[in-house]
Amino acid sequence: MRAKKLVWHIFPANLLITVGSLLALLWYSSVAFNTFYNNWLAADLEDRAYLIEEQIATLVGQNKPQELKALCRRLGRKTSTRITVIQPSGKVVADSDEDPDIMSNHSNRPEIVTAFSGKTGSQLRVSATLGVKMLYVAIPFTHKDGDTNKFHILRMAMPVSAMDQALQTLRIKVALSGLMVVLLAMFAAILVSRRISRPLEIMTEVSKQFAKENFTTSLPITPHCSLEVASLATAMNSMAQKLRERFNTIVQQRNELQTILTSMAEAILVVDNDKQIKTLNTAATFLFGISAHKAINKSTQEILRNINIERLVNATLTSVKVVTEEITIDKGGEKLFLQYSGVQLHGDSGHSFGAVMTFNDVTHIRKLENIRQEFVANVSHELMTPLTSIKGYAETILDSTQDDKEQTEKFLQIILRQSDRLQAIVSDLLELSRIEQEIEHNEIHLVQTNLKTVLEQAIQVCTHKAAEKHMEIQLECPPLLTAPIDPQLMEQATVNLLVNAIKYSHPANPIKINAGLLSTGNNQEMISISIRDFGIGIGQEHLPRLFERFYRSNKDRSRKLGGTGLGLAIVKHIVQAHNGSVEVISEVGKGTTFTIVIPTGTQRDFPAMQK
């Protein structure tokens, strides 16, 4: 059922009450006036009767019927009253309007019967003679007939049509007055209703704004408001202020929570007791490769599709303790290690309404652990090899009873070589550790340096080893080319690459160093330093791990040539300290090219290299 406005609740009731009151007043006034008029008219007729009683009695006593009739007609015309004189037998002896000889006996008339009893009789009825509604008043009177008193009735009558007309006029006036009162009452009811409903309508509109979470609007309190409306408006304004404060607090807390969830590296999922996802953060969308708006209100089984996660969700929803476990999932062909932690959510009543779960990707930590373990194993192996040789040959010398100087010298030479190798490994480890610490503590300072000078110094360091294999190191570098580098570290990286090129190249083959600007196609200037040899080359399967510590593509050959397995790792860290990258291209039997790419400043006036 459609609700009605307040005015349609107040106005019809007021109108009904007003109209009912006016109708009751009209009926009561009509009845009261009619009664009053009848009583007044009856009293008037009685007074008239008493005024002419003596004259009538004299003529009746003198037995003068003609004079009596003439008197009745004359007085009747002057007073507009019907005058009738009736004998005790009921016979009419005189009448002002009709011939008494043809009139019927009146002994049975109610007013006559009452008058015969000695009282004044009154009756309102339709005249049988005239056929008009009349008011009759009859009084008894006596007259002298000799020595005796005779008893007669004097009846006065008047038509009540005038009274009916007066009543009809009164009813019309009362009806018109009532209509005016009704109209005024309607207008007043509308004004009162509007005065009451307008503040309520304003409250309704403001309440709608409250429902839209707009608590800045307040209810106006005017002097025309009633005490109840003003109190209600004050209470609602107070409620709006408290809601605004509470809402702002909730919004702030929600934003803080959303910011915390978004900024957390751990993936977070919140589910209800039906295992439907209610909240998830950005890390969760990236980790599981799902869309946030598609995951909301969907089950974990439908979205995640992982039997281990589903098992942990069930365990969390049924356990009062924190559930933790490390699981693995496959993502794009890659195996991820996740540290899971889940706990139930409880409301004020203590009942569980869901659970919150965190997934911490520890894949990188596991890889680092594997690298650490592999590094420790490699370091131990690399150190154990020369130490074993040193110890073995030293024990051989000590246990030898022969005075063989040549053999002893041979063993000492081996011990010296292994000591040098051990020293080189330790030196490279210390150097690598130093570079890592400088990078971590931002202690590497890059200055704009002439690159050709640095490369020439690196070549000079390696000239002796190159000369031993009859190799020529060729350098092509613009003389004005500068780059933001650490000269000492860049020289060391170049030396390491040159040493590798010399070791793994055939004698008499040249080594080429090319340096210059590199065109990257994205308006970013880069400097390229490439070192190319024409040696044995490296298999494609070894290239992805070539820059790992102690990794060797050919272990026996590398150890035989005296490599520590850390040279390329040092190169990689040095290049990363310069915000650059190092790449390798190789083909077995044709040689290898290492390319260092680092950013530079503004472009110089020399041609750019094409990548």
Side-chain angles (χ1 to χ4, degrees):
M1 184 177 180
R2 187 177 179 182
K4 298 179 181 179
K5 288 188 175 182
L6 181 62
V7 65
W8 296 113
H9 288 275
I10 298 177
F11 174 71
N14 287 343
L15 181 62
L16 182 63
I17 292 173
T18 303
V19 172
S21 300
L22 289 175
L23 290 177
L25 178 62
L26 180 62
W27 173 84
Y28 177 77
S29 61
S30 177
V31 172
F33 184 77
N34 191 17
T35 303
F36 169 76
Y37 190 79
N38 286 338
N39 293 335
W40 174 81
L41 186 58
D44 181 66
L45 292 176
E46 185 178 0
D47 292 340
R48 295 182 186 185
Y50 283 119
L51 287 175
I52 64 173
E53 175 188 7
E54 186 176 351
Q55 299 181 47
I56 296 299
T58 302
L59 292 177
V60 171
Q62 295 176 358
N63 195 17
K64 297 180 179 180
Q66 295 302 324
E67 288 81 355
L68 180 62
K69 293 178 181 178
L71 177 63
C72 289
R73 290 192 185 93
R74 179 168 53 83
L75 293 176
R77 286 193 297 269
K78 289 183 178 181
T79 60
S80 299
T81 305
R82 183 180 179 185
I83 303 173
T84 307
V85 180
I86 304 167
Q87 292 179 351
S89 60
K91 180 181 178 182
V92 178
V93 295
D95 189 87
S96 60
D97 293 340
E98 296 293 333
D99 184 3
D101 295 333
I102 62 175
M103 293 177 65
S104 62
N105 190 289
H106 282 40
S107 60
N108 59 347
R109 301 294 194 271
E111 67 277 7
I112 303 301
V113 174
T114 302
F116 281 148
S117 65
K119 300 178 181 179
T120 302
S122 178
Q123 180 67 29
L124 178 65
R125 69 172 187 275
V126 178
S127 173
T129 306
L130 301 178
V132 178
K133 189 175 182 181
M134 305 282 288
L135 176 62
Y136 296 95
V137 175
I139 63 172
F141 69 92
T142 58
H143 62 89
K144 290 290 184 176
D145 187 7
D147 295 331
T148 62
N149 292 326
K150 297 288 185 175
F151 191 78
H152 277 67
I153 301 300
L154 175 60
R155 189 182 72 177
M156 310 293 288
M158 180 177 288
V160 295
S161 58
M163 182 181 68
D164 291 338
Q165 292 178 358
L167 287 176
Q168 185 66 23
T169 302
L170 178 63
R171 292 190 187 99
I172 293 174
K173 290 181 179 180
V174 172
L176 292 177
S177 300
L179 181 60
M180 294 180 63
V181 171
V182 168
L183 293 177
L184 291 176
M186 290 172 58
F187 182 71
I190 292 175
L191 289 181
V192 172
S193 301
R194 291 298 298 169
R195 189 167 183 176
I196 297 176
S197 64
R198 183 56 184 167
L200 298 178
E201 292 175 357
I202 296 176
M203 289 183 181
T204 303
E205 294 299 323
V206 175
S207 299
K208 291 180 180 179
Q209 296 298 319
F210 292 168
K212 296 178 181 178
E213 301 178 357
N214 178 17
F215 302 109
T216 57
T217 306
S218 61
L219 291 170
I221 302 176
T222 62
H224 303 291
C225 293
S226 63
L227 177 61
E228 293 79 4
V229 173
S231 300
L232 179 59
T234 303
M236 291 188 67
N237 287 336
S238 178
M239 179 190 68
Q241 182 179 359
K242 293 181 180 179
L243 286 176
R244 180 169 61 250
E245 294 174 356
R246 184 70 59 85
F247 184 77
N248 291 337
T249 302
I250 293 174
V251 170
Q252 182 179 356
Q253 292 176 350
R254 183 192 64 185
N255 292 339
E256 291 175 355
L257 179 60
Q258 189 67 31
T259 302
I260 292 173
L261 290 176
T262 303
S263 61
M264 290 182 66
E266 294 82 2
I268 297 179
L269 290 178
V270 179
V271 299
D272 59 12
N273 288 331
D274 296 327
K275 297 188 292 186
Q276 290 186 343
I277 299 174
K278 296 301 179 182
T279 303
L280 73 165
N281 64 349
T282 305
T285 61
F286 288 140
L287 177 62
F288 299 110
I290 56 179
S291 175
H293 70 277
K294 291 183 180 180
I296 298 298
N297 295 326
K298 299 292 181 62
S299 67
T300 54
Q301 183 176 6
E302 178 183 356
I303 298 299
L304 303 181
R305 298 181 180 274
N306 187 282
I307 188 171
N308 289 327
I309 296 178
E310 193 67 18
R311 173 177 57 82
L312 291 174
V313 171
N314 292 331
T316 303
L317 291 174
T318 56
S319 175
V320 296
K321 298 181 179 179
V322 179
V323 178
T324 59
E325 186 177 327
E326 185 173 300
I327 61 174
T328 59
I329 64 172
D330 292 327
K331 180 181 179 182
E334 181 182 2
K335 189 176 183 180
L336 299 182
F337 294 86
L338 302 180
Q339 182 65 42
Y340 172 87
S341 178
V343 65
Q344 288 184 359
L345 295 173
H346 297 276
D348 296 336
S349 60
H351 296 289
S352 172
F353 62 88
V356 58
M357 303 169 291
T358 61
F359 299 85
N360 188 12
D361 188 358
V362 295
T363 305
H364 182 64
I365 297 176
R366 294 292 175 267
K367 289 182 178 179
L368 290 178
E369 290 180 353
N370 294 334
I371 293 174
R372 180 184 60 81
Q373 294 173 359
E374 185 177 351
F375 174 73
V376 171
N378 289 335
V379 168
S380 301
H381 180 72
E382 292 294 334
L383 293 178
M384 186 61 67
T385 300
L387 286 174
T388 302
S389 297
I390 292 172
K391 181 179 180 181
Y393 284 107
E395 290 176 348
T396 302
I397 293 173
L398 291 174
D399 294 339
S400 177
T401 58
Q402 300 179 357
D403 188 10
D404 188 349
K405 184 178 180 181
E406 183 178 353
Q407 186 70 19
T408 301
E409 185 178 351
K410 179 180 178 182
F411 288 166
L412 291 175
Q413 290 293 334
I414 294 174
I415 292 174
L416 180 62
R417 287 198 304 270
Q418 294 299 328
S419 298
D420 291 340
R421 182 184 174 193
L422 184 61
Q423 182 181 5
I425 293 174
V426 174
S427 177
D428 284 349
L429 284 173
L430 292 174
E431 182 65 20
L432 187 59
S433 177
R434 181 184 66 83
I435 294 173
E436 288 179 339
Q437 289 182 358
E438 289 180 352
I439 293 175
E440 182 178 355
H441 296 90
N442 198 22
E443 295 177 354
I444 296 179
H445 302 288
L446 307 181
V447 295
Q448 202 74 20
T449 306
N450 186 281
L451 189 59
K452 186 174 183 181
T453 302
V454 175
L455 297 178
E456 287 176 345
Q457 291 174 353
I459 293 173
Q460 186 177 0
V461 173
C462 300
T463 299
H464 178 69
K465 291 185 178 182
E468 290 179 352
K469 298 184 69 173
H470 307 288
M471 292 181 177
E472 179 186 2
I473 302 176
Q474 302 173 357
L475 174 62
E476 292 184 7
C477 178
L480 300 180
L481 180 61
T482 60
I485 60 174
D486 183 312
Q488 183 179 357
L489 291 179
M490 187 56 65
E491 178 183 341
Q492 182 179 356
T494 307
V495 168
N496 287 358
L497 293 177
L498 285 174
V499 169
N500 275 355
I502 294 171
K503 285 181 182 180
Y504 300 106
S505 293
H506 300 295
N509 284 336
I511 297 174
K512 295 183 178 182
I513 302 177
N514 292 325
L517 283 177
L518 179 66
S519 178
T520 61
N522 57 357
N523 297 326
Q524 184 178 5
E525 292 183 351
M526 306 294 287
I527 285 182
S528 173
I529 305 172
S530 64
I531 300 174
R532 182 182 181 186
D533 66 64
F534 299 90
I536 62 175
I538 306 171
Q540 296 296 318
E541 69 277 9
H542 301 291
L543 296 182
R545 301 188 59 187
L546 198 60
F547 293 95
E548 294 180 7
R549 303 174 188 185
F550 297 111
Y551 184 82
R552 293 183 175 94
S553 60
N554 190 328
K555 296 183 179 181
D556 294 336
R557 184 180 180 89
S558 178
R559 290 195 181 96
K560 183 178 179 181
L561 295 175
T564 63
L566 295 172
L568 293 180
I570 293 174
V571 172
K572 177 183 177 182
H573 281 75
I574 292 175
V575 174
Q576 288 179 346
H578 287 76
N579 301 317
S581 62
V582 58
E583 300 175 355
V584 59
I585 301 175
S586 183
E587 187 176 352
V588 177
K590 293 185 179 181
T592 304
T593 301
F594 286 91
T595 303
I596 297 174
V597 179
I598 57 175
T600 184
T602 56
Q603 189 173 359
R604 306 296 180 179
D605 294 331
F606 43 80
M609 297 177 60
Q610 298 297 322
K611 187 175 179 179

Coordinates of all heavy atoms in Angstrom, one line a residue, residues 121 404 414 534 603:
G121 N -54.5 24.4 26.6 CA -54.1 23.4 25.7 C -53.4 23.9 24.5 O -53.7 25.0 24.0
D404 N 117.2 -36.1 -2.8 CA 117.0 -35.8 -4.2 C 116.6 -34.3 -4.3 O 115.4 -34.0 -4.2 CB 116.0 -36.7 -4.8 CG 115.9 -36.6 -6.3 OD1 116.5 -35.7 -6.8 OD2 115.2 -37.4 -6.9
I414 N 105.5 -27.3 -7.2 CA 104.0 -27.6 -7.2 C 103.3 -26.9 -6.1 O 102.2 -26.3 -6.2 CB 103.8 -29.1 -7.2 CG1 104.4 -29.7 -8.5 CG2 102.3 -29.4 -7.0 CD1 104.3 -31.2 -8.5
F534 N 88.9 -15.0 -30.5 CA 88.6 -16.0 -31.6 C 89.1 -17.4 -31.1 O 89.9 -18.1 -31.8 CB 89.3 -15.6 -32.9 CG 88.9 -14.3 -33.4 CD1 89.5 -13.1 -33.0 CD2 87.8 -14.2 -34.3 CE1 89.0 -11.9 -33.5 CE2 87.3 -13.0 -34.8 CZ 88.0 -11.9 -34.4
Q603 N 75.2 13.2 -25.5 CA 75.8 12.7 -26.6 C 77.0 13.5 -27.1 O 76.9 14.7 -27.1 CB 74.8 12.5 -27.8 CG 75.3 11.7 -28.9 CD 74.2 11.5 -30.0 OE1 73.1 11.9 -29.7 NE2 74.5 10.8 -31.0

